[in-house]
């Protein structure tokens, strides 16, 4: 079942690329950016102010391919983030790890509103470990690729008054939570029932909001919010919230300063709010309006 769902999502996402290769360029709006940020700090052994020598490397990739013809729209987005950090005396660890893929087919019924069907996938690339070790001194695996992984389908209406802002309201949003790594499942099940690898939430609602705009010269802010409610667990404590924020400042054509933050509240993962943040100076490569046709 889980392989079938993932295959369906990949085919849905790839079909947009096929259309991009066959349709006229005037119906597509494409953007692509990829960057690498490096942070480094060094202190002598007698540095009295204190500090730990460290090095960190963060990478990110953002791509969009949005199709529009008449009342029909097809928006596709990929956000990939991965980073590593090494403090003196410690092992190399992850600083950020995120996979987000989204595809949405819409039909406009007014200038600002459209009905839509969408699918999005959320997970991570590599294993994640707890800060603490077990009784035997071994690292505790707490997450991995598809452990957890979230595949969500949604049907609803979207309000999009301009290219910078969109709000999706989905009263029907079934979600599949994957937990395929047995070692992760031994520590935390992320809401997946005991003895199973997939949790299905058929009756649920989802709200998604996106804001992306240049807030000053060469400074761009992007915010992505996702709220998820299972009708069978209708309490405010059980509403999932995810917020991703990226502030990018261009120094010149290739050098940029990048500030990234992620905030998660998911009661099935932890009763408290989780957050991560990274800041770096690095290289950014951007393409806009490019063609996929040969």
């Amino acid at each position: 079942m889980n392989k079938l769902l993932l295959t369906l999502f990949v085919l849905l996402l790839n079909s947009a690329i096929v259309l991009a290769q066959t349709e006229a360029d005037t119906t597509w709006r494409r953007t692509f950016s990829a960057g690498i940020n490096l942070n480094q700090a060094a202190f002598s052994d007698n540095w009295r102010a204190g500090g730990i020598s460290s090095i960190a490397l963060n990478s990110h990739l953002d791509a969009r391919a949005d199709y529009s013809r008449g009342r029909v729209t097809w928006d596709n987005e990929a956000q990939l983030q991965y980073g590593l950090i090494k403090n003196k005396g410690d092992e190399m660890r992850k600083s950020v790890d995120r996979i987000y893929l989204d595809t949405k087919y819409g039909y406009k019924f007014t200038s600002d509103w459209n009905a839509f069907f969408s699918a999005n996938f959320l997970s991570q690339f590599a294993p994640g470990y707890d800060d603490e070790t077990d009784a035997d001194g071994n690292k505790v695996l707490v997450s991995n690729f598809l452990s957890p992984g979230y595949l969500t389908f949604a049907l609803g209406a979207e309000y999009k008054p301009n290219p910078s802002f969109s709000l999706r309201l989905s009263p029907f949003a079934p979600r599949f939570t994957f937990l395929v790594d047995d070692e992760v499942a031994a520590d935390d099940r992320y809401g997946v029932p005991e003895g199973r690898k997939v949790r299905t939430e058929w009756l649920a609602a989802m709200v998604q909001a996106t804001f992306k705009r240049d807030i000053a010269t060469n400074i761009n802010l992007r915010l992505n919010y996702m709220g998820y409610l299972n009708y069978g667990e209708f309490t405010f404590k059980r509403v999932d919230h995810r917020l991703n924020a990226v502030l990018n400042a261009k120094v010149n054509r290739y050098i940029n300063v990048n500030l990234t933050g992620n905030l998660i509240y998911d009661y099935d993962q932890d009763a408290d709010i989780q957050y991560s943040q990274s800041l770096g100076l690095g290289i950014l490569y951007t393409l806009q309006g490019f063609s996929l046709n040969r």
Side-chain angles (χ1 to χ4, degrees), residues 29-32 62-66 75-78 160 212:
R29 180 183 179 186
R30 310 180 188 90
T31 61
F32 173 88
D62 298 291
R64 290 195 63 94
D66 297 341
D75 300 337
N76 303 274
E77 181 178 13
K160 193 171 184 179
K212 184 176 181 181

Side-chain angles (χ1 to χ4, degrees), residues 151-171:
L151 179 59
T152 308
F153 297 93
L155 181 67
E158 179 186 42
Y159 175 63
K160 193 171 184 179
N162 55 65
S164 300
F165 176 77
S166 68
L167 175 66
R168 301 185 199 175
L169 305 174
S170 309

